[in-house]
Amino acid sequence: MKPNLSFQQFIQRRQVIGMYRKYMRLTQRIADKTARRETREWVRGDFDRYKHETDTKRIDVLLAQASRQYKELESGVFSML
């Protein structure tokens, strides 16, 4: 049985899932299959590393960090096109 989530945890869970999906959609733009696979593994590894985090403040920090890294990756992917 899943634990009951507070409203804040519920919102953060949706944000994390949304961020993960954004990353996965972005990796589809990487033409080189090896680079795409390695990037997906890196993303999965980072998200898996923190999947048991419960501190809402820490999760907010991690989401902000993920957003910054996404923008950097996005600019790198567009420069490869």
Side-chain angles (χ1 to χ4, degrees):
M1 181 174 229
K2 292 184 180 181
N4 292 331
L5 300 176
S6 71
F7 182 70
Q8 178 67 23
Q9 290 169 325
F10 175 78
I11 296 297
Q12 285 180 329
R13 183 175 187 275
R14 298 303 316 152
Q15 290 172 326
V16 169
I17 291 169
M19 180 63 68
Y20 181 81
R21 288 178 177 164
K22 273 178 69 171
Y23 269 100
M24 290 298 122
R25 282 191 299 270
L26 180 63
T27 62
Q28 292 174 354
R29 299 180 192 170
I30 300 173
D32 181 56
K33 290 181 181 183
T34 303
R36 183 183 321 127
R37 181 181 45 79
E38 290 174 354
T39 304
R40 284 180 171 232
E41 288 173 2
W42 168 72
V43 169
R44 282 189 191 116
D46 265 10
F47 277 83
D48 280 346
R49 184 177 317 136
Y50 299 108
K51 72 180 177 182
H52 296 293
E53 185 64 57
T54 58
D55 180 9
T56 56
K57 290 181 182 179
R58 177 78 174 127
I59 293 169
D60 283 339
V61 169
L62 291 168
L63 281 167
Q65 180 182 358
S67 181
R68 284 191 303 274
Q69 288 177 340
Y70 177 85
K71 289 175 185 173
E72 290 175 17
L73 181 63
E74 185 178 37
S75 66
V77 167
F78 282 127
S79 69
M80 290 191 291
L81 296 177

